[in-house]
Structure formats: C-alpha cells, structure tokens
C-alpha cells in the first residue's frame, strides 16, 4: 500500500509539472510567434494538430483584428476542447501508469490517441510520451513475442505445423511501424518487404507440400515393416524415389526460409554496427527470431523450427523404420548364422548390402539441410545433425562394410565346404572299405594343402576386416556411438576368425583322419601279427584237447611254434620301422597341430601301437626262446623218464620193490612232465605201454612177500588182543593193513575184523586213566592229589570221632572229584575215591545200596556201555568178593568185545563147511571163482578165528592171485586224477567226485590205490 501511494503521488506531481510546462511553453510561443493573421493558416495548424502554433497565431490575430474576435475565439475554443480531451487522456494515462502499470496494450492505445490529438506537443510532454511509449511498446511486444512463441511451441508439439507457421507470422507486426518510421532507406525496407512476401509464398508451398509428404512417408514406412530376406526391394525403391523428390523440395523450402531469416539477422547486424544503441527491441530481431527461433531454446521453434520439427520427425521415422528393418534382417541373419554358420547365405548378404546402401541413400537427404547449416556458420541445428546423424550414418556404413566382410566369408566358406565334403567322402569310403589306405592318406594330404591355401586367402580378408574395425573403433573410442554397426563389424571379424578356426579345425580333422588311417593300418598289422602270435603262443601255452569221455586237457607244442615265431620276428621288424616313420612325421608338424589334444591322443595311440609292436616283438623273441627251452626240456624229461624206467626194471630184478615202485612212479612223472611241455602221441603211447606193464609185474612179484608179512602181523595182533594189550593189537593190525595195501586196494577183511575188535576194546577203556601226555594232566593230577589228601584227612578225623570235621573234608574231596569228572567222567581214580567216601561215611547204607549200584551199572551197558563197564570195574575194585560180580563182568566183556566168546560148535561147523567149499574151487583151479573162495574163507575165519586150514587156503589164494593194486595210471587217467585233485583243492567237491567216479568205472583204474584214497577223501568232505 505504501509503495502504491508513493507511486500515485509521484505521478500526480509529474502531471502538475507537465501542465506547467505546457502553459509556460504556450507563453513562449506567443511571445515569439509570427504575426500571420490568417484564419486559414490557423485551421491548417489545427488540422495538423499543431495546437501551440495555432493558439499563438489566433492570439496575435485577435490583437490585430479585434473585429474578428469571434472567429478567432471559435477556433480557440475548439483548441481548448481538443486540449481538454488531450489532458483528459493524459490524465487517464497517468492513472493507468499508477493503477495498471502492466497493461501495456492500453497504454499504447492511449499514447496513439495522444499522438493523434497533437502532433507537436511541448518538449516535456513529447519526452514523457516517447519514454512511456518505448517502455510500454517494449513490454507489450515482448509479451506478444513470448505468447506467439509459446503458441507456436504448443502447435508444433501438437503436430499442427501449418498453423504454427501462421502463428509465427503474426509476430511480423511487432515493431513493424517503428521500423518503417525509423528511416532506414528504401534498399533496406524493400529487402525486408521482399523477404516477408517470400515467406508467405514459401509457407503456401509448405502447407500444400506437408500433407502429401506425410502421406508418402507413412506409406513408405508401411512398406519397410514387411521387409524380409524374401522381399523384393524394387517396389520400395520406386516408392522412395517419388518420396525423395518431395523431401528435396521440402528441404529447398525450408532452406529458403532459413536464408530469409539469416538475411534479416545479417541486416540487423549491419544496422547495429551503424547505430550501437540499436537494441533487440526492434522489428528485425523480432522478425528473424520468429523465422529461425531463439538460439537459447533447446527445441526447434519459429517458422523454420516448425518445418524442421516436421522434417526431423518424418526423417527420423523413415530412418528408424529402415534401421529397424535393417537391424532386424541382421539379427535374423545372425541368429541363423549362429544356428548354422557353415551354410551358404550369400543371397542374404546381397539383400543386406542393398538395404544398407538404400538406408545410406535415405540418410544422404540430410545433407540438403546440413550443408546450409554449415555454409556460413555452424548452427546448433547443424551441430545436432552432425552429433545425432553422423553416428547413425556411420553405423549403417559399418553395416554396409560388414556385408563386404561377410561376402569374403562366404567366398571362402564355399571352397571350404567343397574341400570338407571331399574329405568326408574320402574318409567315409575308407571306413566303408571302399578306398585303400595309401590312396586315402594321399587324398587327405591333398585336401590339407588346399585348406592351407584357403586359409592364407582368408587371412588377407581378416586383415582388411580388422582394418575396417579399427577405423570405426576410432569413432567409437572418441565418443561416437555406432550402435549395432560396431557390433556387426565385430561379428564380421569374428565370422572370419570363426571360419579360420574351422579351417584350422578342418585341418586338424584332416590330420587327425590321416593319422587315424595310419594308426588303423598299424592296428590292422598289429592285429594280424597278434593273431599269428596268439596262434604260435597257443602252441606253447597249450590248447584244450577233448578226450573220448568228454573231458579236456591242455596240449602244448613248442617245437611246432618255433617256425611261426621266427617268421613273426622278421615281419615285426618292418612294422616297427613304419610306425617310427609315422611318429617322425608327427614330430615335424607345426605346434598348432602337435599341441592339439586329439592329435596328442592319436600320437600317443601311435606311440602305444609302436610300443605294442615292440612289446609284441619282445614277446615273440621271449616266447621263441621259451619254445626252444621247452623243446629242450621236453627232450630232457623224456630221457629222464627213460632212465627212471630202466632203474625200476633193475630194482625189480633185485626184488627192491619200494625202489622199483618209486622209480616207476618217477618215470611216469618225467614222461608226464615231458608230455605236459610237448604233446606227443608217440611218447604218450610208449609211456602207457611201458609203465603199466612194469607196474603189473612189480605188484605180482611183491604180493607173495606181502601175504606172508600180513599173516605174521595178524598173528602178533591176535596174541596182543588175547593178553588185553589192545593198543598194541591196534598198532600191529594197522601195520598189517598198510602192508596189505602195498599191493592191494581194498582192506584185508581178516585184518579189518580184528581191528574192529581191538578198537572196540580200546573205546571201552578210554577215559579210565589220564595219560601223562594229556594237556590237562598237571591240573587233573593236582585235583586228584588234593581230593586224596582231603579223603585221608577225613578218614583220620572220622577215626578220631570227629565226624563233622571229617564230613567237611569229604565235601572238599567230592568237589575236587567233581572238577575232575567234568572233563574225565570215567576216570577210575576219581570213581573209586567217591565210592570209598560213601563207604566210610555210612558203611551200612553203602552195603545195602551196593546191589542197586550193580543193577544200575548193568542197565547202562546197552545205551552207555563205556560208562556202565567203568562202574562195574569200580564196584569190583571196592568189593571183588561180591557174589556173581565177576561173572557179570565177564559177560559184559564178551558183550562189549573185550574177550572172545567160548567156542560155538555150530559156528565151528559152519566155518569148516565154508573152508571145504573154498578148497573145492582151489583144487579145480577155477580162477574166476577165486574171489568167491576168498570171501568164503574170510567168513570162515570170522566164525572160527582158530581155523588154521582156512588161514592156509586164504594165503595160498592171495599169493596165487597176486597184488591187485595199480602202481601207476595211464597218462589219460593220470591227467584226470590230477584234475580231480585240483578241483578238490578249489573246493569243487562234487566235480572232483564226478571225475573220480568216472575214472573208477574203468576196470583198469579200480585197483588204483591213490584213486581210491582220493575218493575216500572227497566223500569225507561231503
């Protein structure tokens, strides 16, 4: 409020001052006025709004012509009336300045009214009006300028470019009158007027051109959206040719408008250079800004800005559509390329190249404008074109250059695929067995040479592509973003590198295939040599030969293998030299080949093959030496067998039967060892004929001595048995049985009979005493001694009438006895001691229970004969005079086989009958019935062991028949016997038994002692 009041006070004082200046000015004019006295002159001055001059003239006129006062007064009243209007407007202007200082439009209108009322006010009024007008006009025009610019911006943003340009032309009225009143001369004014007129004509052209251009742009963009590798580009190119003409026409209109604007700008600069006080608050600065826009604005504005916005939008949409299609094609191409980079796609590259060239053609339209923006000065718009369009242009140019790289790629790829297919067919033919090894190797080598030449050509293309990439990378490194262009250039270089890698890989493949073929050849040779080696090796290691009974045996032929080994050794020397030559070729390969893992594997394979050939040759030589050694060993063993056979014959003649059998077995072992080393049908036949014949002769000759020895041992054993020396009887009978088996297989029945009796007797007496050799003898002896001491102490205490103490000692003795009986329940000493304790403790009860004890012992003879007999013996020791006890023990001994029963007349009679029957067979010399006679005599001796006639006849038959035991087996039987032993050792009991039983089916083998013994061993494990 204070500020507003002061402003009003100021303008009021300013108004009073203005009126005073008007009045003072009037007096001055009057005093100095001319003395013209014509009313017409006054009317003219009033018409020209030169009121001060008219008042002076009329005042002088009244003085000079009083009679014409009325005429002059009417004119003065008219002036006063006009001056009252002037003063009223001036007062209103002052009020506006106070009350509405920003209403420049009203202020300017009132100033124009004042100027219309008076053409030549006084100096103070004139300066005030001029000052106020300048301020209001500047403020008003500036506001109008901003409004027009804002409206234009809004219309541009809406895409209403025609109305935008029209709105900008509205601004040409600002300061225009002032420009014309400034007196710049006809040349300047006419030039400006022509520019304004041309602008109107160009805008008419623009308004007609812009819709058609937009339509063509939209049509063209629609065409680009469907571009693919199958698209025909000709219709698109034809469509663009028409569009291109319109674009250049549009550019010409735009450039012409820009030239007018820059012309106005240049004209203003010239005027300003002549009048440094001339500021931007004038027509030309406003006009060229309405044309070109303000340099301080980021977005285009003004008439040219409206055209540029349409241009930028249209051209950007064209470019974006084309680049989108171009990038899309590149992306599709690259996707397909990545999926299968080794497929020829050169037609697609031609399409990409054509589209890239076409895109650059579209971009070149920018030059029609860019040149103007750089021609006289570098404009911001020109800079923006350079900044924004050059990277895109270079990116597309890079894409175009990429097609050159890709053309080079497919040029090489085409040759590469031909070479690869040839290589593949050649290698497949070799694998199918349709091409020779040497031919395949030569063909693969030619393919490799072609690949090397192709790679050299590719490297030239790589250098060119790398140079391209380097050039464009320079832009990228200096802040010019080439977008996908640099990526595609890189992809192009990568493609060439990728193809080079494939060529390298293909070369590696060729080399790999070549060495694969080489290795396959060496492998074939190795397999052939190995087969020959295995054949020769089988001869020395042995081959399974099937026999008539279905079994097999290993037959070795070292002598037959020697020629094969010698030939193999010669062949392998050449093979090893060839493998070494292949390894030398490996070593001469470049590092890229030798460092390849797959090739290293092949090289290792070749090395392994060489090593295997060398190992095979070493094995050949080793086994050749083994064959020589085995041949010599076989001969040596045969000679040893011959020698042992002769020694057996000599021992037989000297009746040294043990030595004869030993040498005979040794001879068989030597022959068998020789046959195991070197199979020979002749030696096998000789061996069987010699050894079996001599073995029969030894058994027959030795049998007479065996029969006598056995009879003597039987007699000794019987004598020991009858004296109760059962241990000696058993030992003697075992000697007899063993002696019998010297020449016989089966047990001697008579020996077996007496051995059963002796063992039965021994079993009854076992456990009665503790042998000193028993492991627990010391402990048991201590327990028995302690028990005996406790018994003696108890007996002494009992005699001293100390029954309680005596019973305690007897309990101690019983506990010791029980400890012994846990391990030795039949111990005689423990049993007797326990009976003695019972007898001492209660003699009457013991005597009363004696009969019960005797009955219990007799009852045990059936189920527990050993325990029952032991108790009878203990009772007899305690009370030998018990009635009938001795007779009970004798019957128990006969029952248990401890003594022979008394002679039975019926048994003796039957024994004699059997002897008589056997004698009849012997007397008639019916040898086929000798086994029957022998069985009858054995039965007779069981019935009557003292039948001497039976003994004599039995010994006679056994001497006459001869020994039945087989000392040696045939070579075939011996082989099966050894197999059975091996199966038994391996735990295959059933298999071993089957082999033995198969052998025993042959009558020749039934009397083999070792075979029968083996059968018993096997059966014992079942």
């Amino acid at each position: 409020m204070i500020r507003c009041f002061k402003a009003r006070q100021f303008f009021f004082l300013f108004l009073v001052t203005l009126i005073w200046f008007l009045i003072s000015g009037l007096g001055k004019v009057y005093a100095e006025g001319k003395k013209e006295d014509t009313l017409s002159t006054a009317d003219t001055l009033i018409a020209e709004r030169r009121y001060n001059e008219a008042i002076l003239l009329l005042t002088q006129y009244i003085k000079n012509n009083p009679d014409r006062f009325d005429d002059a007064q009417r004119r003065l009243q008219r002036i006063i009336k006009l001056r009252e209007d002037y003063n009223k407007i001036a007062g209103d202007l002052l009020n506006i300045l106070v009350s509405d200082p920003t209403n420049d439009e009203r202020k300017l209108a009132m100033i124009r009214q004042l100027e219309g009322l008076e053409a030549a006010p006084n100096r103070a009024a004139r300066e005030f009006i001029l000052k106020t007008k300048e301020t209001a006009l500047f403020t008003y025009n500036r506001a109008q300028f901003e409004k027009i610019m804002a409206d234009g911006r809004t219309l541009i943003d809406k895409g209403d470019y025609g109305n935008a340009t029209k709105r900008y032309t509205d601004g040409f009225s600002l300061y225009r009158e002032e420009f014309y009143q400034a007196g710049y001369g006809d040349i300047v004014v006419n030039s400006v007027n022509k520019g304004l007129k041309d602008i109107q004509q160009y805008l008419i052209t623009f308004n007609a051109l812009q819709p058609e251009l937009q339509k063509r742009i939209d049509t063209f963009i629609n065409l680009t959206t469907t571009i693919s590798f199958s698209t025909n580009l000709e219709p698109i190119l034809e469509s663009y040719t028409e569009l291109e003409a319109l674009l250049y026409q549009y550019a010409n209109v735009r450039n012409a408008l820009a030239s007018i604007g820059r012309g106005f700008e240049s004209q203003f600069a010239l005027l300003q250079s002549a009048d440094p006080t001339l500021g931007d608050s004038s027509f030309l600065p406003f006009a060229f800004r309405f044309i070109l826009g303000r340099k301080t604005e980021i977005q285009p504005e003004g008439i040219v800005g409206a055209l540029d916005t349409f241009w930028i939008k249209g051209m950007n949409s064209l470019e974006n559509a084309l680049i989108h299609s171009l990038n899309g094609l590149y992306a599709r191409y690259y996707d397909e390329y990545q999926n299968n980079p080794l497929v020829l796609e050169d037609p697609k590259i031609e399409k990409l190249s054509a589209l890239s060239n076409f895109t650059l053609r579209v971009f070149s339209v920018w030059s029609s404008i860019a040149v103007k923006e750089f021609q006289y000065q570098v404009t911001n718009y020109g800079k923006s074109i350079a900044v924004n369009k050059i990277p895109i242009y270079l990116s597309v140019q890079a894409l175009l250059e990429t097609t050159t790289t890709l053309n080079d790629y497919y040029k090489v790829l085409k040759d590469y695929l031909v070479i690869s297919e040839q290589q593949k067919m050649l290698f497949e033919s070799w694998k199918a067995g349709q091409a020779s090894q040497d031919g395949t190797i030569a063909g693969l080598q030619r393919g490799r040479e072609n690949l090397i030449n192709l790679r050299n050509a590719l490297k030239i293309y790589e250098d060119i592509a790398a140079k391209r990439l380097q050039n464009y990378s320079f832009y990228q490194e200096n802040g010019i973003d080439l977008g996908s262009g640099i990526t595609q250039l890189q992809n192009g270089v990568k493609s060439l590198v990728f193809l080079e890698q494939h060529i390298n890989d293909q070369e590696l493949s060729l080399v790999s295939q070549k060495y694969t073929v080489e290795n396959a050849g060496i492998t074939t040779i190795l397999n052939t040599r190995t087969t020959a080696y295995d054949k020769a090796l089988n001869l020395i290691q042995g081959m399974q030969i099937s026999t008539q009974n279905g079994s097999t045996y290993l037959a070795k032929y070292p002598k037959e293998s020697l020629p094969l080994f010698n030939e193999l050794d010669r062949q392998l020397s050449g093979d090893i030299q060839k493998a070494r030559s292949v390894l030398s070729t490996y070593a001469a390969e470049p590092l890229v080949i030798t460092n390849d893992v797959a090739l290293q594997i092949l090289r290792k394979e070749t090395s392994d093959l060489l090593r295997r050939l060398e190992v095979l040759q070493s094995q050949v030589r080793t086994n050749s030496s083994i064959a020589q050694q085995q041949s010599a060993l076989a001969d040596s063993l045969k000679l040893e067998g011959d020698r042992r056979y002769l020694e057996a014959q000599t021992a037989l003649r000297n009746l040294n039967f043990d030595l004869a059998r030993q040498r005979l077995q040794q001879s068989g072992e030597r022959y068998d060892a020789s046959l195991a080393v070197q199979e020979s049908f002749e030696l096998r036949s000789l061996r069987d004929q010699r050894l079996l014949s001599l073995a029969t002769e030894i058994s027959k000759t030795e049998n007479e001595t065996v029969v006598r020895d056995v009879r003597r041992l039987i007699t000794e054993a019987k004598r020991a048995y009858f004296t109760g020396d059962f241990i000696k009887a058993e030992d003697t009978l075992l000697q007899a049985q063993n002696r019998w088996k010297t020449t016989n297989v089966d047990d001697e029945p008579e020996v077996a009979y007496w051995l059963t009796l002796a063992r039965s007797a021994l079993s009854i007496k076992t456990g009665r005493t503790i042998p000193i050799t028993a492991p627990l003898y010391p402990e048991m002896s201590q327990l028995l001694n302690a028990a005996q001491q406790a018994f003696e102490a108890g007996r002494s205490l009992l005699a001293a009438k100390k029954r309680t103490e005596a019973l305690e000692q007897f309990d101690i003795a019983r506990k010791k006895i029980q400890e012994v009986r846990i391990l030795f329940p039949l111990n005689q000493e423990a049993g007797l001691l326990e009976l003695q304790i019972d007898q001492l403790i209660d003699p009457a009860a013991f005597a009363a229970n004696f009969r019960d004890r005797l009955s219990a012992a007799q009852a045990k003879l059936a189920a527990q004969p050993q325990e029952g007999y032991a108790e009878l013996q203990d009772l007899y020791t305690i009370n030998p005079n018990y009635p009938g006890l001795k007779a009970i023990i004798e019957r128990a001994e006969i029952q248990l086989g401890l003594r022979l029963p008394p002679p039975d007349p019926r048994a003796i009679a039957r024994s004699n009958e059997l002897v008589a029957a056997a004698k009849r067979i012997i007397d008639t010399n019916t040898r086929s019935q000798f086994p029957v006679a022998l069985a009858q005599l054995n039965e007779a001796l069981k019935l009557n062991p003292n039948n001497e006639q039976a003994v004599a006849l039995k010994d006679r038959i056994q001497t006459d028949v001869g020994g039945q035991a087989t000392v040696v087996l045939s070579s075939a039987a011996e082989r099966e016997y050894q197999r059975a032993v091996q199966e038994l050792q391996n735990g295959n009991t059933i298999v071993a038994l089957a082999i033995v039983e198969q052998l025993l089916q042959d009558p020749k083998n039934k009397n083999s002692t070792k075979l029968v013994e083996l059968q018993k061993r096997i059966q014992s494990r079942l």
Side-chain angles (χ1 to χ4, degrees):
M1 288 293 292
I2 295 173
R3 182 179 299 176
C4 183
F5 173 77
K6 287 182 177 180
R8 289 178 180 177
Q9 186 180 45
F10 170 78
F11 281 110
F12 176 75
L13 293 174
F14 184 76
L15 180 60
V16 172
T17 303
L18 175 62
I19 294 172
W20 182 83
F21 273 117
L22 289 174
I23 295 172
S24 63
L26 177 62
K28 187 176 181 181
V29 172
Y30 173 78
E32 296 177 359
K34 294 180 179 180
K35 298 181 178 181
E36 292 184 18
D37 186 18
T38 63
L39 293 176
S40 59
T41 302
D43 290 337
T44 300
L45 291 173
I46 292 170
E48 292 178 354
R49 303 185 306 281
R50 296 162 63 184
Y51 303 125
N52 290 336
E53 294 180 26
I55 291 170
L56 290 175
L57 181 61
L58 289 172
T59 302
Q60 188 63 40
Y61 180 77
I62 290 172
K63 289 179 179 181
N64 296 331
N65 301 288
D67 57 333
R68 301 288 302 270
F69 177 81
D70 293 336
D71 292 332
Q73 186 179 20
R74 284 195 301 269
R75 285 173 174 77
L76 287 171
Q77 288 175 345
R78 182 181 173 191
I79 292 172
I80 292 170
K81 176 68 170 65
L82 290 174
R83 280 284 173 90
E84 288 176 352
D85 292 340
Y86 184 92
N87 291 334
K88 183 179 183 302
I89 294 172
D92 291 341
L93 176 61
L94 289 174
N95 288 331
I96 290 298
L97 290 173
V98 175
S99 62
D100 193 7
T102 61
N103 195 342
D104 295 312
E105 186 176 6
R106 188 175 178 188
K107 286 188 284 186
L108 287 173
M110 296 175 73
I111 290 171
R112 282 192 289 271
Q113 286 179 326
L114 290 174
E115 289 176 339
L117 289 173
E118 182 151 9
N122 60 53
R123 179 180 177 185
R126 186 172 59 251
E127 289 179 355
F128 167 74
I129 291 172
L130 181 61
K131 189 73 173 180
T132 302
K133 181 179 179 180
E134 285 179 357
T135 303
L137 187 61
F138 173 79
T139 305
Y140 174 77
N141 285 350
R142 173 56 61 184
Q144 288 298 307
F145 177 85
E146 294 295 340
K147 187 174 187 308
I148 291 170
M149 284 298 186
D151 292 344
R153 170 82 270 145
T154 301
L155 291 169
I156 290 173
D157 291 341
K158 290 180 178 179
D160 191 355
Y161 305 108
N163 285 325
T165 58
K166 183 176 181 302
R167 179 64 176 134
Y168 286 124
T169 59
D170 293 342
F172 291 157
S173 63
L174 302 179
Y175 287 120
R176 189 168 179 174
E177 287 300 324
E178 286 75 14
F179 172 74
Y180 288 145
Q181 295 172 3
Y184 289 126
D186 292 341
I187 295 175
V188 174
V189 172
N190 290 338
S191 175
V192 170
N193 286 337
K194 184 179 184 303
L196 293 174
K197 182 179 178 181
D198 289 343
I199 288 173
Q200 295 302 322
Q201 291 300 319
Y202 285 128
L203 289 181
I204 291 171
T205 303
F206 162 73
N207 288 324
L209 180 61
Q210 187 261 335
E212 179 64 20
L213 186 57
Q214 183 64 59
K215 177 182 175 183
R216 294 297 183 95
I217 288 173
D218 293 340
T219 301
F220 180 79
I221 289 173
N222 289 334
L223 289 174
T224 62
T225 57
T226 59
I227 292 178
S228 67
F229 285 115
S230 61
T231 301
N232 182 6
L233 294 180
E234 288 303 320
I236 299 176
L237 295 176
E238 292 174 3
S239 173
Y240 179 71
T241 299
E242 299 173 358
L243 172 59
E244 188 178 43
L246 294 177
L247 287 171
Y248 279 115
Q249 183 182 354
Y250 184 93
N252 290 334
V253 170
R254 181 265 176 201
N255 289 337
L257 289 169
S259 295
I260 293 172
R262 293 193 181 102
F264 283 6
E265 187 178 12
S266 299
Q267 185 65 60
F268 174 71
L270 290 173
L271 294 175
Q272 198 174 38
S273 65
D275 183 7
T277 64
L278 184 62
D280 284 347
S281 299
S282 59
F283 173 72
L284 286 177
F286 273 48
F288 74 70
R289 285 182 173 88
F290 283 128
I291 297 170
L292 300 176
R294 290 167 291 185
K295 295 180 181 179
T296 56
E297 292 299 310
I298 297 175
Q299 292 181 299
E301 62 180 7
I303 295 172
V304 173
L307 269 69
D308 285 342
T309 301
F310 172 75
W311 172 272
I312 292 169
K313 183 178 179 181
M315 286 301 296
N316 283 348
S317 61
L318 283 176
E319 295 160 9
N320 291 338
L322 278 173
I323 291 174
H324 178 74
S325 297
L326 184 60
N327 286 335
L329 283 186
Y330 265 101
R332 285 195 290 277
Y333 161 75
Y334 198 66
D335 286 343
E336 294 174 7
Y337 166 80
Q338 284 186 313
N339 290 333
N340 200 341
L342 299 182
V343 172
L344 289 173
E345 297 286 4
D346 35 328
K348 294 181 179 179
I349 301 306
E350 293 176 8
K351 183 78 68 172
L352 287 170
S353 177
L355 189 57
S356 297
N357 269 313
F358 177 60
T359 305
L360 291 176
R361 176 182 167 184
V362 173
F363 266 93
S364 66
V365 177
W366 278 100
S367 63
S368 62
I369 292 178
V371 169
K372 290 292 182 180
E373 299 302 306
F374 285 94
Q375 187 172 11
Y376 301 108
Q377 61 178 333
V378 179
T379 67
N380 290 335
Y381 186 40
K383 290 179 182 178
S384 69
I385 293 174
V387 170
N388 295 322
K389 298 305 172 183
I390 288 178
I392 303 175
Y393 183 88
L394 289 174
S395 176
V396 177
Q397 182 68 35
L399 292 176
L400 178 61
E401 300 228 30
T402 299
T403 62
T404 304
T405 301
L406 293 175
N407 278 325
D408 295 338
Y409 172 83
Y410 285 113
K411 189 187 304 180
V412 176
L413 176 62
K414 184 176 181 180
D415 294 338
Y416 164 79
L417 292 176
V418 171
I419 296 172
S420 298
E421 184 62 24
Q422 291 173 347
Q423 168 204 352
K424 179 181 178 182
M425 293 175 61
L426 179 62
F427 191 65
E428 291 297 326
S429 296
W430 172 77
K431 287 170 64 178
Q434 299 171 354
S436 67
Q437 177 183 344
D438 293 339
T440 302
I441 291 173
L444 292 173
Q445 184 60 37
R446 285 194 300 273
R448 182 182 181 186
E449 292 169 359
N450 292 335
L451 276 178
I452 292 172
N453 294 333
L454 193 59
R455 182 172 58 211
N456 292 336
L458 180 62
K459 283 185 174 295
I460 295 174
Y461 296 142
E462 284 183 33
D463 292 340
I464 296 172
K467 185 64 177 176
R468 290 192 193 105
L469 178 59
Q470 182 181 3
N471 292 338
Y472 284 94
S473 295
F474 171 80
Y475 298 125
Q476 189 81 11
E477 292 166 0
N478 285 276
I480 300 177
D481 184 10
L482 301 185
S484 63
I486 197 73
T487 302
Q488 295 301 341
L489 279 172
Q490 291 170 342
N491 288 339
V493 173
K494 289 177 183 178
S495 298
L496 296 178
V497 174
F498 166 81
L499 185 55
E500 182 185 1
Q501 184 58 48
H502 262 273
I503 291 175
N504 293 338
D505 293 343
Q506 191 64 25
E507 182 185 9
L508 283 173
S509 176
L510 280 167
V511 174
S512 174
Q513 290 175 349
K514 173 179 176 291
Y515 289 121
T516 297
V517 176
E518 295 275 17
N519 286 353
I522 299 172
T523 301
T524 301
I525 291 172
L526 177 61
N527 291 337
T528 302
R529 304 296 183 248
T530 301
T531 300
Y533 169 74
D534 291 340
K535 179 180 178 182
L537 186 63
N538 285 339
L539 291 175
I540 62 172
Q541 289 184 341
M543 298 179 292
Q544 293 295 329
I545 304 298
S546 299
T547 62
Q548 293 180 351
N549 64 2
S551 64
T552 59
Y553 70 94
L554 192 66
K556 298 180 180 180
Y557 302 91
K559 291 181 180 179
E560 289 79 357
S561 70
L562 274 173
L564 300 179
F565 282 128
N566 292 334
E567 176 61 17
L568 262 177
D569 188 25
R570 183 189 66 77
Q571 292 172 337
L572 284 168
S573 295
D575 300 336
I576 289 170
Q577 184 58 40
K578 180 179 180 180
R580 287 174 178 166
S581 175
V582 173
L583 283 177
S584 298
T585 307
Y586 268 122
E589 293 285 1
L591 286 177
V592 67
I593 300 295
T594 56
N595 289 338
D596 182 70
V597 175
L599 267 296
Q600 289 175 352
I601 292 173
L602 282 171
R603 180 174 185 174
K604 183 178 182 302
E605 182 181 330
T606 307
S607 300
D608 291 342
L609 289 169
L610 173 60
R611 180 184 55 78
R612 290 171 64 186
L613 286 170
E614 291 172 341
V615 169
L616 183 60
Q617 186 177 47
S618 175
Q619 291 173 336
V620 166
R621 291 175 177 176
T622 298
N623 284 286
S624 177
S625 175
I626 291 173
Q628 292 174 345
Q629 294 172 4
Q630 288 185 344
S631 296
L633 176 61
D635 291 340
S636 174
L637 289 170
K638 178 184 176 302
L639 292 174
E640 184 68 15
D642 291 341
R643 185 172 67 82
R644 298 293 182 181
Y645 173 75
L646 293 176
E647 290 176 354
Q649 286 180 318
T650 300
L652 178 60
R653 287 194 295 270
N654 295 332
L655 299 180
N656 190 344
F657 303 113
D658 289 338
L659 182 60
R661 278 196 304 275
Q662 182 185 25
R663 292 294 183 265
L664 185 65
Q665 289 174 350
Q666 291 173 349
S667 176
E669 291 168 359
R670 299 303 186 277
Y671 284 140
D672 289 340
S674 176
L675 289 169
V677 175
Q678 172 69 56
E679 177 62 28
S680 170
F681 175 77
E682 293 80 8
L683 179 59
R684 195 172 294 281
S685 300
L686 178 65
R687 179 258 190 214
D688 290 348
Q689 182 269 323
R690 281 182 171 184
L691 299 188
L692 294 176
S693 176
L694 185 57
T696 301
E697 186 177 355
I698 291 172
S699 294
K700 184 172 179 60
T701 304
E702 186 181 13
N703 191 57
E704 295 177 5
T705 304
V706 170
V707 172
R708 288 196 300 272
D709 291 344
V710 169
R711 177 55 55 198
R712 175 179 56 79
L713 291 170
I714 291 174
T715 303
E716 290 180 4
K718 288 167 65 177
R719 187 180 304 113
Y721 177 83
F722 290 130
T723 60
D725 192 352
F726 302 119
I727 294 176
K728 181 179 180 182
E730 182 186 32
D731 291 341
T732 304
L733 289 168
L734 288 173
Q735 292 178 31
Q737 199 69 279
N738 291 332
R739 181 58 176 150
W740 174 255
K741 291 208 174 169
T742 304
T743 56
N744 294 276
V745 177
D746 297 327
D747 289 342
E748 210 292 320
E750 187 178 359
V751 174
Y753 170 75
W754 284 102
L755 188 58
T756 300
L757 292 175
R759 285 177 172 168
S760 295
L762 278 174
S763 66
I764 297 300
K765 292 184 173 291
T766 299
R768 294 293 287 165
T769 59
I770 302 174
I772 194 172
T773 57
L776 296 176
Y777 177 79
E779 291 83 354
M780 296 301 103
S781 296
Q782 290 180 5
L783 289 172
L784 289 172
N785 289 335
Q788 186 65 41
Q789 291 173 3
F791 170 73
E792 294 296 340
R795 183 162 58 180
S796 299
L797 290 169
L798 193 61
K801 306 300 183 179
K802 295 180 179 180
R803 185 173 181 83
T804 300
E805 291 82 350
L807 291 176
E808 289 175 357
Q809 289 299 316
F810 289 148
D811 286 340
I812 293 172
R814 286 182 190 276
K815 289 180 181 178
K816 302 297 183 182
I817 291 169
Q818 289 303 319
E819 290 182 37
V820 173
R821 283 199 162 186
I822 289 172
L823 297 174
F824 297 94
L826 302 180
N827 182 262
Q828 183 177 5
E829 187 176 351
L832 287 175
L833 192 57
E834 190 169 17
L835 288 174
Q836 289 173 347
I837 291 172
D838 290 342
Q839 188 178 31
L840 282 175
I841 291 174
D842 193 351
F846 182 80
N849 293 331
F850 192 85
R851 180 63 190 173
D852 294 335
R853 291 176 184 268
L854 179 60
S855 298
Q858 286 180 283
K860 291 181 179 178
L861 290 174
Q864 299 169 295
Q866 190 176 12
E867 186 176 345
Y869 182 72
E871 290 179 2
L872 288 175
Q873 288 283 2
D874 292 342
L875 291 173
Y876 182 76
T877 303
I878 291 294
N879 191 2
N881 298 322
Y882 188 82
L885 179 55
K886 184 175 182 180
I888 291 172
I889 291 175
E890 289 177 355
R891 287 195 300 272
E893 289 177 346
I894 294 172
Q895 178 183 345
L896 298 174
L898 296 178
R899 66 170 67 218
L900 293 176
D904 183 357
R906 287 181 297 178
I908 292 172
R910 177 56 184 161
S911 176
N912 290 334
E913 290 175 3
L914 290 170
V915 170
K919 189 173 184 305
R920 287 193 293 271
I921 294 172
I922 295 170
D923 290 344
T924 59
N925 199 27
T926 307
R927 302 186 70 84
S928 61
Q929 293 294 314
F930 276 7
V932 175
L934 191 58
Q936 291 172 339
L937 292 171
N938 283 325
E939 182 63 26
L941 287 171
K942 286 183 181 179
L943 294 172
N944 184 9
N946 297 319
N947 192 330
E948 294 298 333
Q949 186 180 9
V951 170
L953 288 173
K954 177 182 175 183
D955 291 347
R956 177 181 169 186
I957 291 176
Q958 288 178 332
T959 301
D960 187 59
V961 170
Q964 301 299 312
T966 301
V967 178
V968 292
L969 296 170
S970 68
S971 61
E974 180 66 28
R975 186 172 56 248
E976 288 299 289
Y977 169 80
Q978 295 298 335
R979 187 163 74 92
V981 171
Q982 187 62 45
E983 292 292 348
L984 181 61
Q985 291 174 350
N986 294 338
N988 301 325
T989 311
I990 303 299
V991 177
L993 182 61
I995 295 171
V996 170
E997 289 179 347
Q998 179 70 26
L999 286 172
L1000 290 174
Q1001 290 179 6
D1002 187 348
K1004 296 177 182 178
N1005 299 330
K1006 290 179 67 175
N1007 294 321
S1008 172
T1009 303
K1010 66 179 183 180
L1011 196 56
V1012 172
E1013 288 296 329
L1014 180 59
Q1015 182 186 37
K1016 291 179 180 179
R1017 283 172 53 198
I1018 295 171
Q1019 289 174 339
S1020 68
R1021 297 190 182 184
L1022 294 176

